[in-house]
Amino acid sequence: MTTSVKSSDPQTSGARLEIERVRRDFPILHQTVNGRPLVYLDNAATGQKPQCVIDTIQRYYETDNANIHRGVHELSVRATDAYERARAKVQRFIGAGRSEEIVFVRSATEAVNLVAQTFGRQRIEAGHNEIVISEMEHHSNIVPWDLLCKQTGAKLLVAPINDQGELLLDDYKNLLSPRTAMVAIGHVSNALGTINPVRDIIEAAHQHDIPVLLDGAQAAPHLKIDVRELDCDFYAISSHKLFGPTGVGVLYGKYDFLNQMPPYQGGGEMIKSVHFDKITYNDVPFKFEAGTPNIAGAIGLGAAVDYVNDLGLDNIAAYEHELLGYATEALSSIPQLRLIGTAREKAAVLSFVFGDIHPHDMGTILNQEGIAVRTGHHCAQPVMDHFDIPATTRASLAFYNTKEEIDALVAGLHKVTEVFA
Amino acid sequence: MTDLNELYEAQILDHNKSPRNRRRLEDADRRADGYNPLCGDKITVFIDLEDDLVKEVTFEGSGCAISTASASMMTQSLKGKTLDEAKALFAKFHSLITGEPCEIQNGPELGKLEVFSGVCQYPARVKCATLAWHTVNAALEGDVDDIVSTE
C-alpha cells in the first residue's frame, strides 16, 4: 500500500499523506477478522484512534489524574492545564475567536440538546414558534428539536431534499420567516455524504436574524472548519468521530449567545457561589460544564486534534476525495448496485442498495470477509423514507483507508452475489 | 465459506426468495406488529384461531433473508398447533437460535426449523431470526397495542 496524494493547496504544497506510515499510527487496523485483514469502512459511525491519542489518555491517568479547577495541589494544576490546553486546541481547530466559546459536553448529541433546551427555548419564549431542520438530518438533530416543539407548542419545519440527496435551497429559504426561532442543519450528512451549502444556509437565515446551529459531527473529521468565516452561531462536534475518545463532544457557541443562555444542567463547577437565598452561576464555558467533566476524554480529543492538524485537513480532504472517486467508480460498475446519495458536493460516504438483497445480509457476508460496514437506517430514517427503502449498506472512508480496501469491498460484494445467486 | 453456508442454508434462501403465507389476513382474530430498529425490519403477523387452535397464520413485511425465511417457515410450523404447542415451539426455537439449553423436553419437534441452527454463531443476527416469533407471541398473548421490538 503505497498510495499517496499531493495537496493542491499552495500553502501546504509538497505535503503528502504517506498512507503506509499513517496506517502504522493506528494499532487497531493491524488485525485479522475471520482470517482476513480487517478492512474498516465504518468511519462515519466512529473513527479509529491513533497511538498518540491512546498514549495521551494512558499518560494522563498514570501521571496527572486529578479533579480540575479546584485543587491547589500539583496534580490538579497539571490536569487543569491539560484540560484547558485541549480547549484552546479545539478553539484553534475550528477557528473560534476565544476559548470561552468552546464548551466540552458528552457528545455532539448533547451539544444539540443543550442549545435546544436553553437558547432554542429562549427564542420560542421570545415569540418565535418554528424550528427549521432538513430532511437529511441524523436523529440527533431531529429529536431534540421535536422534544422542544412538543414542550412548547412550536412547530418543526423540514426543508426537503432531491433524489441526489441535496438540500433544496429555495424550499429551505421559503421556510424562513420572522416566526423562525432557529435553523439546525447538518454540515455533512452521515447517511448520504452530502456536504451542505452551509454558507448559503447561514446567510439566508441571518438575513432574517435567525440563528443557525450546524451539526458538524460528520464534517469535522473531513473538512477544514472555520466557524468565524462561516459566521455560524453554534457548531456541534463529536470527539470519537474525530479520532478522539468516546464520551466527549464540543459545543461552539458565539460568546454573546452563550453568555445570555441559562444553564443546561446544575451542579458543581457551573456555579460561583451557592447559598439558599442566592445562587450565582459561573462564567462561560464553565456555566455549561456541570459536574466533573470527562477530563481524560477532552485531553485525548486535544491529542486527536493535534494529530489531524499534523496530517493537514487539506491533505486529508484531497486524499479522501480521490478515494471517493475511485470507490464511486468501482461500485457503480457493479450491476444492480444503486448508490443512495449522489450529491455533487460529497464527503467519502458510499451508501447503497444492491438488488433485493437486504443490507443486513450483506453486512454479515462482508464481515465474513473481514470488512466492517454499517447496515441499517443510520439513525436517519426520514432519509430512508425519502428513498423508500428500509435500510442501506454504508461504506464510510477515512484517510487511513486505501484503494486496495475498496477493491476488497468490491470482491466482498461479489461474494454476496454468489451466496444469493 | 463453510460458515456462511451454515447460516444461508438452501432452504433459508428458498424461503427468502419465495416466502410462504406472506399475505394479509382480513379480519384476523389476532394481529401484532414487530420491528427491529437495528436493521429496519418490519413485520405484521395475522392469526385466525379456532378455539385454542392456530387455524391460519400469515405475515406481511420486509426484512433480511434470515427474518423473512424465519417468518415464512414459522407460519408453516405453527399452522394447526394448539396455543400451548405454539408456545413450546417458540421456546425450543429460541433455544436453538441462542444456543442455550431448552427446559421444554416434550411438545412438538422443531423439524425443519433446525436449519436455523447456524444463526447461534452470529449473535448480531439472533434478533432477525426471532422477530417473527416474538411478534406472534405478542399477538397470541393479546399484547397487540404495543409494537414488539427486538431491541
Side-chain angles (χ1 to χ4, degrees), chain A residues 7-21:
Chain A
S7 169
S8 54
D9 185 334
Q11 277 193 324
T12 50
S13 166
R16 296 157 74 97
L17 280 192
E18 298 291 346
I19 300 307
E20 213 173 333
R21 184 183 64 76

Side-chain angles (χ1 to χ4, degrees), chain A residues 396-417:
Chain A
S396 53
L397 314 178
F399 52 75
Y400 42 64
N401 288 127
T402 64
K403 287 180 180 170
E404 288 81 356
E405 290 181 309
I406 305 298
D407 296 341
L409 172 65
V410 172
L413 289 170
H414 286 300
K415 278 270 153 63
V416 172
T417 329

Side-chain angles (χ1 to χ4, degrees), chain B residues 105-117:
Chain B
Q105 302 302 329
N106 307 322
E109 296 297 321
L110 281 169
K112 62 186 180 180
L113 293 176
E114 300 266 9
V115 295
F116 288 97
S117 62

Side-chain angles (χ1 to χ4, degrees), chain A residues 9 99 105 145 155 242 248 268 311:
Chain A
D9 185 334
S99 67
V105 287
W145 303 109
K155 213 166 133 190
L242 187 54
V248 184
L311 293 184

